Amino acid sequence: MAPTKKGIMERLNAGEVVIGDGGFVFALEKRGYVKAGPWTPEAAAEHPEAVRQLHREFLRAGANVMQTFTFYASDDKLENRGQSLKLTGAQINEAACDLAREVANEGDALVAGGVSQTPSYLSCKSETEVKAIFKKQLDVFMKKNVDFLIAEYFEHVEEAVWAVEVLKATGKPVAASLCIGPEGDMHGVSAGECAVKLVKAGAQIVGVNCHFDPLTCVKAVKMMKEAVEKAGLKAHYMVQPLAFHTPDCNCQGFIDLPEFPFGLEPRILTRWDMHQYAREAYNAGIRFIGGCCGYEPYHIRAVAEELAVERGLLPKGSEKHGMWGAGLEMHTKPWVRARARRDYWENLKPASGRPLCPSMSNPDSWGITKGDSGLMQQREATSQQQLKELFARTKSN
């Protein structure tokens, strides 16, 4: 029999660094397996080989957690705005669990079943109705015996608390991650207060994911940690940010940027930026460190390499990567060999190659959230009249 793996709480309680994986929806959209717009994960059942391979690449890069590819896999999201799939939510969630477990068993990784925010909440459905949606996904996670649970990508702490209350009933460890920055959630609840609410609801790990760049997310988690400690509570902390620079974002994060989602590539962080992120997160007392949208396996490998001393090992992916460019010593060109040193890459200021482009953008800043008519969701496809109204509003803003 294979030795029993240490659970997520056992690892964190021992002070170990747990490295998460990267952003599956963006990575698989670029590979042709996810549709931008709905961002739903039916590829887990339609193209399991693609999802399996991405899991394997993140595992090789050093990830300790294989999150089930169940982002936006709630029934209401799978049927939203004209989405018509031949697969049920249960089939997608089950396939995602099987793939995550298969790859996790190839290394020292745990499986995390994840739920995320729902169209039903944005449409002002009741707490009972929203919790019932989470429960349907949770039933699959329990059937497949995932190792722990994550409520991630919530813009409103109220909905995240509902999710935690559903998940904690299982007795499995629960992590809760909001897609907020230092300004707090979309209802104006501060980052610190959000964390306190989540811990009181039963989350043992709290933090943020997505919507903002790494250092912004680390700042938000620092605020969470300070508030939780001030309230006399205990928790572990996680961060899984974007792999895009977002200094110009407002409270809504990167989805307000005019480049979202198809023009973000000039903002991508380098592997060397990831070293800085990993160190900042570790120094802030965060021990669950991963990535979200924009992260590719080489980003996660950089996180693992930066924290190799603390973890006591390098990832398998480092077999093909010289630390701080050391592999360039073998390059044929002497000026490239001269770049085989840490100070070169650590101090480099990369050019974009786009002389007519600005360094920052002006976010759309529509300033709407739950309760606004524009966020009321529907099963029918967005009509031409609805689009016409949106186009007109865009011109007036």
Side-chain angles (χ1 to χ4, degrees):
M1 290 180 61
T4 302
K5 296 178 183 178
K6 289 189 289 185
I8 185 67
M9 296 308 298
E10 189 177 358
R11 298 180 192 213
L12 293 174
N13 287 338
E16 294 182 22
V17 175
V18 173
I19 295 183
D21 54 13
F24 270 60
V25 288
F26 263 52
L28 289 170
E29 191 277 332
K30 288 179 170 63
R31 290 159 168 79
Y33 298 103
V34 165
K35 188 174 185 177
W39 303 110
T40 47
E42 60 272 14
E46 291 178 345
H47 299 284
E49 74 287 349
V51 178
R52 182 186 296 110
Q53 176 62 22
L54 191 54
H55 275 306
R56 281 185 174 144
E57 291 180 19
F58 281 119
L59 181 71
R60 181 175 171 79
N64 299 119
V65 176
M66 299 291 106
Q67 282 190 232
T68 57
F69 186 36
T70 52
F71 176 79
Y72 274 172
S74 60
D75 283 345
D76 61 337
K77 179 61 178 174
L78 294 171
E79 298 171 349
N80 196 46
R81 294 202 172 273
Q83 175 96 306
S84 179
L85 301 174
K86 296 179 181 178
L87 297 160
T88 66
Q91 288 174 315
I92 294 170
N93 282 279
E94 288 195 15
C97 287
D98 289 342
L99 291 167
R101 177 63 69 191
E102 177 186 349
V103 177
N105 286 345
E106 296 172 4
D108 184 32
L110 302 172
V111 174
V115 301
S116 48
Q117 65 182 11
T118 64
S120 292
Y121 179 81
L122 288 178
S123 298
C124 301
K125 295 290 181 66
S126 70
E127 177 180 347
T128 300
E129 290 172 299
V130 173
K131 283 185 171 181
I133 292 168
F134 296 138
K135 181 64 166 56
K136 289 186 73 172
Q137 280 189 273
L138 181 60
D139 287 343
V140 175
F141 299 152
M142 294 306 292
K143 175 183 176 181
K144 296 296 183 178
N145 194 28
V146 301
D147 297 308
F148 69 103
L149 301 160
I150 300 181
E152 72 163 2
Y153 196 80
F154 286 85
E155 295 174 305
H156 306 87
V157 70
E158 179 182 52
E159 187 184 15
V161 165
W162 294 353
V164 169
E165 289 173 347
V166 172
L167 300 183
K168 75 171 185 177
T170 65
K172 288 184 179 289
V174 175
S177 185
L178 305 176
C179 51
I180 67 171
E183 295 181 48
D185 84 346
M186 294 304 295
H187 280 157
V189 182
S190 72
E193 187 178 349
C194 284
V196 170
K197 287 178 179 290
L198 292 170
V199 174
K200 287 182 175 179
Q204 293 125 303
I205 309 163
V206 295
V208 299
N209 77 292
C210 206
H211 276 206
F212 297 92
D213 62 42
L215 298 187
T216 302
C217 286
V218 169
K219 180 180 179 180
V221 179
K222 283 182 179 178
M223 297 167 71
M224 289 180 156
K225 186 172 184 288
E226 181 180 346
V228 169
E229 292 173 351
K230 186 175 181 180
L233 302 171
K234 292 184 178 180
H236 292 289
Y237 300 91
M238 67 184 297
V239 61
Q240 300 204 99
L242 297 175
F244 304 109
H245 292 284
T246 62
D248 40 356
C249 279
N250 56 24
C251 182
Q252 182 68 78
F254 83 139
I255 61 174
D256 248 14
L257 294 175
E259 300 99 321
F260 176 86
F262 300 128
L264 291 165
E265 283 81 0
R267 294 174 176 264
I268 291 176
L269 276 77
T270 68
R271 64 193 69 195
W272 316 117
D273 293 325
M274 292 299 167
H275 279 263
Q276 181 188 7
Y277 152 56
R279 185 54 54 191
E280 291 283 343
Y282 185 86
N283 289 344
I286 303 167
R287 292 297 179 266
F288 187 151
I289 305 170
C292 200
C293 296
Y295 272 72
E296 291 286 344
Y298 75 94
H299 289 120
I300 293 298
R301 182 181 62 190
V303 171
E305 289 181 342
E306 174 63 29
L307 300 174
V309 172
E310 289 79 3
R311 298 177 74 223
L313 77 165
L314 283 166
K316 289 183 178 179
S318 293
E319 295 171 1
K320 296 294 185 181
H321 184 245
M323 290 284 283
W324 294 103
L328 298 181
E329 295 171 4
M330 304 169 69
H331 202 279
T332 56
K333 304 296 190 290
W335 59 89
V336 179
R337 292 198 297 274
R339 298 170 188 162
R341 63 187 196 277
R342 177 171 181 163
D343 66 313
Y344 176 87
W345 295 108
E346 211 165 30
N347 295 305
L348 181 70
K349 297 187 184 305
S352 70
R354 297 173 179 269
L356 301 181
C357 291
S359 59
M360 293 194 284
S361 298
N362 295 314
D364 284 344
S365 300
W366 283 23
I368 64 175
T369 189
K370 179 198 174 189
D372 187 278
S373 60
L375 284 178
M376 299 299 287
Q377 304 301 307
Q378 62 191 48
R379 292 188 66 172
E380 302 78 18
T382 305
S383 69
Q384 290 301 307
Q385 180 57 36
Q386 288 173 322
L387 287 174
K388 185 177 180 181
E389 292 170 0
L390 291 174
F391 298 156
R393 183 169 181 175
T394 299
K395 292 178 181 178
S396 65
N397 280 349

